[in-house]
Each structure stands twice: as C-alpha cells, then as structure tokens.
Amino acid sequence: QVQLVESGGGVVLPGGSLRLSCAASGRTFSTYTLAWFRQVPGKDREFVAAFRSSGASTYYRDSVRGRFSISKDNAKNTVNLQMNSLKPEDTAVYYCAATPRRLITSQVRDINDYDLWGQGTQVTVSS
C-alpha cells in the first residue's frame, strides 16, 4: 500500500518562504505524475502545481507561477514544493497527490485524475 506523507507546513510572514515535501512509502515515483493541491474551509480543493515525470514537465496555477516551484527528488523519492513570496491568500491545507498514470496536459490540473493523496499540511501566511 502506497502512502504519501507531507511535511514542511507552518506559519510564515507575508513575503516569506516555505518548502513542502511529500514522501512516498511502498513505491517509487519514477514514472508518476505528482501534484500539489490546496484547500481552504468552505471551498473546493484547487490545483497548485504538477510534475509530470515523462519529460519532467511542470505546471502551475496562474496565481503561483513565478513564486512556487515543484520538483522531484528521485534519490529521496519525494516531491517538493518551494513556495516563495508567500501571500495571505496562499493560506490553506496543502495536499500531495500522485498517480502512476502519465497524465496528459489537460488532465494534470484535474483532481479526479489522482489516485493517491496525503493527509495534508497546514500553511498559514499571516502577519
């Protein structure tokens, strides 16, 4: 059974940085499509960023492009989300997601195309 475990959340001042990590147990990420989503109370879970192992392509929602960076560490079997220039509107629970399928571009932002989910980690951006 593959399990995803996120870490790295916390409280940070506006303009600050955090690095989230998601580790997988039970299987390697070598061919997976990996993503981060986030959710605030009362709203739907939304796409943040994705890494497609086939071609090492990355995808971002418009509001985080240029501030966030998703990467995969094959040696540690983790997917990471470096978040810089954080804003209060980035406050949410962040979830790691994965699927062994090679998603096409039109699928990477769709929550329904991911099979595995972590438990979430809270990110709070506040002064």
Side-chain angles (χ1 to χ4, degrees):
Q1 183 77 13
V2 179
Q3 287 188 317
L4 304 181
V5 179
E6 301 101 334
S7 61
V11 180
V12 64
L13 293 171
S17 298
L18 282 175
R19 183 177 177 85
L20 305 182
S21 287
C22 175
S25 62
R27 198 165 297 176
T28 62
F29 278 154
S30 58
T31 61
Y32 278 46
T33 302
L34 308 161
W36 289 91
F37 287 75
R38 66 187 182 188
Q39 188 170 24
V40 297
K43 292 190 176 182
D44 292 337
R45 194 169 296 187
E46 64 180 21
F47 169 80
V48 176
F51 182 100
R52 192 170 60 184
S53 295
S54 174
S57 303
T58 57
Y59 306 83
Y60 299 93
R61 70 178 298 107
D62 289 345
S63 63
V64 308
R65 187 174 290 112
R67 300 188 297 121
F68 291 12
S69 178
I70 188 170
S71 61
K72 186 176 75 167
D73 187 328
N74 289 323
K76 296 181 179 179
N77 204 35
T78 60
V79 58
N80 306 304
L81 185 68
Q82 178 66 42
M83 305 185 294
N84 299 326
S85 302
L86 282 161
K87 303 176 181 180
E89 51 264 43
D90 294 317
T91 295
V93 178
Y94 283 70
Y95 295 90
C96 172
T99 177
R101 294 178 294 130
R102 291 182 173 88
L103 300 182
I104 61 176
T105 300
S106 61
Q107 295 174 311
V108 297
R109 293 174 173 81
D110 191 339
I111 191 172
N112 297 306
D113 279 302
Y114 293 89
D115 312 300
L116 303 168
W117 291 88
Q119 81 288 352
T121 185
Q122 177 70 47
V123 171
T124 302
V125 185
S126 175
S127 56

